[in-house]
Amino acid sequence: MSDHTVSNANVDIAANLAIVQTRIDQAAGAAGRNPAEVTLVCVSKTHDADHVRGALDAGRRVFGENRVQEAAGKWPKLKAAYAGVELHLIGPLQTNKIKDVIGLFDVIETLDRPKLAEALARQRDKMGICPDLYIQINTGEEQQKAGIAPTDADDFIDDCINRLKLPVRGLMCIPPVDEEPALHFALLVKIADRHGLKIRSMGMSSDYEAAIRLGATHIRVGTAIFGHRSYDLAQ
Ligand SMILES: *Cc1c(COP(=O)(O)O)cnc(C)c1O
């Protein structure tokens, strides 16, 4: 084992999932929301197929991966073994990888630039299919982070929906690590509301309860379910 390897052998995934679900129920209840409105996206990036099976065996069917290559090596077999899996891409998508995501990912949460929207529309025209799309909003306007700036969001969303006729279902954000996430969640909801977009993907292991209070329909939780990653791929 290298220095960067973390053993997850002792992680009780079923128990972790039970804790997370209890917290989802409580956070939703406290906000007067139905917990069934909140979909838990189990973020399985960096964890091998055997580890991920722990969540599948516990009945979970919605998963998130952030690298196309890694997901392509792991998920076709798992999808064949477990019916009803819905796989979300939560990391950046290169336009030359679009062909690889069709049929593998059911949802792309990271539509983050005009060039990608154009390429997805071309691919849809060619193949007649396109995964459901969420637009990633760079709510913190961080230079190094992917996503559409809040000031450009309205035009971009309109363009994707009305001109390109892409299946945009919602918005997604990753708040800056060192800021109060609630402000970012509230901003995402405000933009989504303006466009009648029902899906708001926001909240991770450290802040999913706040996200639920503020209206998250999808929370993306990795560490709290699967344990620590051997290397951190979160951006
Ligand atoms: C890794 C990742 C997550 C999960 O993060 P945890 O802190 O492990 O829950 C959520 N969203 C994105 C985009 C990620 O890359």
Side-chain angles (χ1 to χ4, degrees):
M1 278 201 209
S2 79
D3 288 342
H4 300 289
T5 305
V6 171
S7 169
N8 280 304
N10 296 321
V11 173
D12 187 339
I13 291 171
N16 286 346
L17 278 166
I19 292 167
V20 171
Q21 188 60 56
T22 300
R23 291 190 174 163
I24 292 171
D25 295 350
Q26 285 169 350
R33 299 185 61 202
N34 181 351
E37 292 170 11
V38 181
T39 298
L40 173 59
V41 180
C42 302
V43 176
S44 50
K45 66 187 186 196
T46 78
H47 298 292
D48 65 23
D50 279 339
H51 199 60
V52 177
R53 275 176 207 277
L56 287 157
D57 289 336
R60 294 292 160 176
R61 288 297 180 270
V62 186
F63 290 83
E65 290 280 346
N66 74 335
R67 287 187 168 179
V68 176
Q69 243 17 62
E70 183 187 339
K74 196 155 78 182
W75 278 99
K77 263 194 193 154
L78 289 171
K79 278 190 154 190
Y82 295 84
V85 167
E86 180 181 299
L87 193 59
H88 291 219
L89 179 63
I90 61 169
L93 176 57
Q94 258 63 66
T95 51
N96 64 357
K97 292 274 166 62
I98 288 177
K99 277 197 292 298
D100 302 333
V101 309
I102 306 292
L104 174 65
F105 286 99
D106 306 285
V107 178
I108 295 171
E109 297 205 12
T110 49
L111 173 47
D112 60 1
R113 58 198 193 280
K115 195 175 158 222
L116 180 58
E118 298 283 354
L120 283 164
R122 274 197 304 277
Q123 183 72 15
R124 184 263 331 270
D125 292 344
K126 240 190 276 167
M127 296 186 63
I129 46 168
C130 185
D132 279 352
L133 304 172
Y134 307 168
I135 291 173
Q136 181 175 355
I137 307 293
N138 186 358
T139 57
E141 298 180 69
E142 295 172 277
Q143 201 95 65
Q144 80 287 2
K145 193 168 277 177
I148 303 292
T151 45
D152 299 333
D154 289 326
D155 285 346
F156 183 69
I157 294 166
D158 278 339
D159 194 51
C160 287
I161 295 175
N162 298 319
R163 183 176 64 88
L164 295 174
K165 311 263 186 268
L166 287 170
V168 175
R169 308 294 182 217
L171 304 181
M172 174 273 219
C173 73
I174 310 169
V177 284
D178 51 356
E179 282 183 31
E180 170 57 57
L183 300 171
H184 298 273
F185 298 154
L187 175 58
L188 194 80
V189 168
K190 203 166 123 189
I191 299 170
D193 279 345
R194 284 207 289 266
H195 296 269
L197 293 170
K198 296 275 179 285
I199 291 181
R200 299 93 199 265
S201 173
M202 56 192 204
M204 323 202 319
S205 289
S206 56
D207 54 20
Y208 64 89
E209 287 153 299
I212 291 169
R213 279 196 291 279
L214 287 161
T217 62
H218 289 64
I219 55 172
R220 309 177 308 268
V221 178
T223 310
I225 298 169
F226 295 106
H228 289 289
R229 291 179 286 272
S230 51
Y231 50 100
D232 194 13
L233 292 171
Q235 319 127 60

